[in-house]
Amino acid sequence: MPAGEWSRRRTVGESALTAVVALLAAGTEELLGGEGWQLAAVAAASAVLALLRRRFPATVLVVTAALSPVVSGLGPLLLVLGWSAGGHIVGVGRALYAFIAAYVLNVGATLIVAWEHQRMLTVAFMATLYYLGTTLAPGLAHRYWAQRRTLLHALQERNVRLVRERAMIGRNARLRERQRIAQDMHDSLGHQLALIAVHTGALEVDRELTERQREVVGVLRNASVTAMHELREVVGILRDGTEAADPDTGPVGTGDESGRAARGIAGIEGLVDSARAAGTPVTLRRIGDERPLEPAAGHAAYRMAQEALTNAYKYAPGAAISVELRYEPDTFVVEIFNEEPPAGPAQHVVSGGQGLAGLEERARLVGGMCHAGPADGGGFRVAGMLPYGSAPTGEAAPLVDAADDFRQQSTKPFGGKSRPVPVGEPDWSFTERELAMALHGGKTRSTGGSIALGCGIAFAALVVLVVAAGLGLYYFVGSVQDAMVEPAKYESIEVGMAEKDVRPMLPDGDSLATMATAGEGAPPEPKGAACLTFLSTEMSDDFDTEPVFRFCFKDGKLIEKKAYEVRP
């Protein structure tokens, strides 16, 4: 899709994603203490960054990673930007530099924000885990997914080209064979028919022949001339798939002065007239608006009518025959029906048994179908359905096995388009076929290895992330326990006790959780005293505040203890 042109589906999707990201940013900022214009500013910034992520993926990723420790509402956006940057940053080196820069700035900004607190290595460790889980892991997953899809797309395009080349080779081979057959027919049958026509023409003007003999010789000459024209038509079809006859534009007679018989749909009326002249009751009906057929399809319709009428003469002498030509919206239908003969079916009729089978084959070759069989209520029916347009000469067989990963292949351009799909741009038709292939268990030696390798890498990365997250969670839970004091223990400690007796009763306080005690609402510390602050194990009634216990020591004694609430 050209730059600047979005489809309706993509426009709706981007709008929905932008709205969701803006709401998440504002909600996160509000949960962490933001209010008023600050929420609107964070939501607007998230929306703008989300819209720019495709055009400037590396820049947006680095900027957001640097700002997210300072502006907490931008945290959820990192998940979207990590996924998007993994598929849209062109080049492995550029993507590597972008993710490294984003990591350094993100961890650096986190350390600056937490500079007043202790345990900087712990802060860096937790920031690294957060970056790996929210940014790097989605980026790697999307990049692998996009590259695999691009690779499969290129392989399928190559396979389609191979299929087309094989189809061209097959068509050329068929054309050469048809031309050879046409040449043999022209050289052999054409020569013999020409001799018959010449000799019968000379006999027709011989004065020694009687009038009856001249009439018979004239019939033979006309038959030989007609056979020569039919031979030329067949040779033309064999050579280039088209008849020598003009396209069917309307009914014509059974022949012209040269003895050439009309072929195609136009010639069916001549067959009916001939049958009527022989005393057979035949009716002809045309239904629908007449449309021209391709020469090969028109010739097939003519042969169907000819063979059906011939069979009716042979097997049902004297029976009424109806011929119906229907111009349907998508196909042309020729139907010949003969009723039960008055004297019953003819007996001992000599037949080769190939006529109806030949009609089915002729219809198939032009992309149609033919049915012949007894009709309901008696009689016999032959019906053919033929296409108006040209039919393919045959689909080439796939170059791969049916169980191969390319069993979804088509001779059409991939996805209905000839353009390559850019990295990161979703191609849902191809994705659906990938899913279908996976569900049916399609495997190949080439793509199967890459899929297994990619799945192994993804699984290993997932295991590492889970282990790291588990260790981080275990450490964090232990760290939180080192920063909390029970109310009962607070009550048991009295002012004036020796510091050496109070210290063992309290946690060491060296925990990230103690950062939550440094908020608004803390009273000033006594001058010259060293104070320890801890969280209470009980929750506050107010969701926005945290209960805190503070113990201040001076000169080896506990000089003050306070319980208060702070707003983080």
Side-chain angles (χ1 to χ4, degrees), residues 156 159-160 163-164 406-414:
Q156 188 181 16
N159 193 67
V160 169
V163 171
R164 288 177 178 171
F406 293 104
R407 64 180 178 277
Q408 79 282 7
Q409 68 189 347
S410 170
T411 55
K412 299 181 180 179
F414 176 77

Side-chain angles (χ1 to χ4, degrees), residues 370-438:
C370 179
H371 169 75
D376 296 338
F380 197 83
R381 175 179 283 105
V382 176
M385 299 176 62
L386 303 171
Y388 291 113
S390 58
T393 56
E395 297 291 340
L399 296 183
V400 292
D401 296 334
D404 193 83
D405 202 21
F406 293 104
R407 64 180 178 277
Q408 79 282 7
Q409 68 189 347
S410 170
T411 55
K412 299 181 180 179
F414 176 77
K417 305 175 184 178
S418 58
R419 70 173 182 88
V421 179
V423 175
E425 179 177 335
D427 187 340
W428 297 115
S429 60
F430 191 70
T431 304
E432 291 169 0
R433 288 198 294 270
E434 286 189 52
L435 178 60
M437 286 155 40

Side-chain angles (χ1 to χ4, degrees), residues 95-460:
L96 180 63
Y97 295 147
F99 277 94
I100 291 178
Y103 167 72
V104 171
L105 292 176
N106 182 265
V107 175
T110 303
L111 293 177
I112 292 175
V113 172
W115 188 256
E116 297 179 356
H117 303 277
Q118 301 177 354
R119 306 192 67 150
M120 290 294 103
L121 290 179
T122 303
V123 173
F125 175 72
M126 299 301 296
T128 300
L129 285 181
Y130 180 78
Y131 180 82
L132 290 177
T134 61
T135 308
L136 184 59
L140 292 176
H142 190 200
R143 192 162 192 87
Y144 167 73
W145 178 76
Q147 289 181 346
R148 177 181 179 273
R149 189 186 67 249
T150 303
L151 174 62
L152 290 180
H153 170 76
L155 291 176
Q156 188 181 16
E157 288 286 353
R158 177 178 178 273
N159 193 67
V160 169
R161 288 195 296 270
L162 291 176
V163 171
R164 288 177 178 171
E165 291 175 3
R166 178 172 178 175
M168 293 175 61
I169 294 173
R171 284 195 295 268
N172 291 337
R174 287 193 295 272
L175 286 176
R176 287 195 298 269
E177 182 64 18
R178 288 166 61 173
Q179 289 176 353
R180 185 190 66 79
I181 296 173
Q183 188 64 41
D184 290 344
M185 292 178 64
H186 181 273
D187 294 342
S188 59
L189 295 179
H191 177 71
Q192 301 299 329
L193 290 175
L195 288 177
I196 294 173
V198 170
H199 285 293
T200 52
L203 284 174
E204 191 175 13
V205 298
D206 191 345
R207 296 179 179 179
E208 296 182 0
L209 296 180
T210 63
E211 194 66 27
R212 174 60 180 166
Q213 290 173 332
R214 286 195 182 93
E215 182 180 348
V216 173
V217 171
V219 172
L220 293 176
R221 186 183 68 82
N222 289 335
S224 63
V225 172
T226 301
M228 288 180 63
H229 282 294
E230 290 190 0
L231 177 62
R232 289 173 183 170
E233 292 175 357
V234 173
V235 169
I237 293 176
L238 285 174
R239 281 179 175 171
D240 52 16
T242 60
E243 285 188 286
D246 295 331
D248 297 319
T249 56
V252 296
T254 58
D256 55 23
E257 62 275 3
S258 67
R260 176 186 177 191
R263 292 294 177 265
I265 300 176
I268 294 178
E269 187 170 341
L271 295 175
V272 172
D273 292 340
S274 299
R276 289 171 179 168
T280 302
V282 182
T283 59
L284 175 63
R285 290 196 306 165
R286 297 177 184 268
I287 301 175
D289 298 331
E290 295 187 12
R291 295 171 55 181
L293 269 72
E294 289 292 324
H299 190 80
Y302 176 84
R303 291 303 185 192
M304 288 181 185
Q306 187 182 50
E307 180 66 22
L309 289 173
T310 301
N311 284 343
Y313 303 153
K314 292 166 57 177
Y315 297 103
I321 305 174
S322 63
V323 179
E324 188 174 282
L325 307 179
R326 297 200 303 272
Y327 294 89
E328 302 287 350
D330 53 350
T331 56
F332 171 76
V333 180
V334 54
E335 183 176 345
I336 301 91
F337 168 73
N338 63 268
E339 299 179 356
E340 290 283 355
Q347 302 294 329
H348 308 294
V349 177
V350 178
S351 174
Q354 301 297 321
L356 296 179
L359 293 183
E360 295 176 359
E361 179 67 14
R362 187 184 295 273
R364 187 188 65 81
L365 290 176
V366 297
M369 58 186 300
C370 179
H371 169 75
D376 296 338
F380 197 83
R381 175 179 283 105
V382 176
M385 299 176 62
L386 303 171
Y388 291 113
S390 58
T393 56
E395 297 291 340
L399 296 183
V400 292
D401 296 334
D404 193 83
D405 202 21
F406 293 104
R407 64 180 178 277
Q408 79 282 7
Q409 68 189 347
S410 170
T411 55
K412 299 181 180 179
F414 176 77
K417 305 175 184 178
S418 58
R419 70 173 182 88
V421 179
V423 175
E425 179 177 335
D427 187 340
W428 297 115
S429 60
F430 191 70
T431 304
E432 291 169 0
R433 288 198 294 270
E434 286 189 52
L435 178 60
M437 286 155 40
L439 292 177
H440 288 82
K443 299 179 180 179
T444 60
R445 181 176 300 178
S446 58
T447 59
S450 64
I451 294 174
L453 178 60
C455 292
I457 294 174
F459 180 76

Side-chain angles (χ1 to χ4, degrees), residues 27-28 30-33 539-547 565-568:
T28 304
E30 185 178 21
L31 285 176
L32 297 178
M539 300 295 294
S540 173
D541 296 334
D542 188 355
F543 183 75
D544 295 332
T545 61
E546 291 288 345
E565 293 185 350
V566 298
R567 186 180 300 272

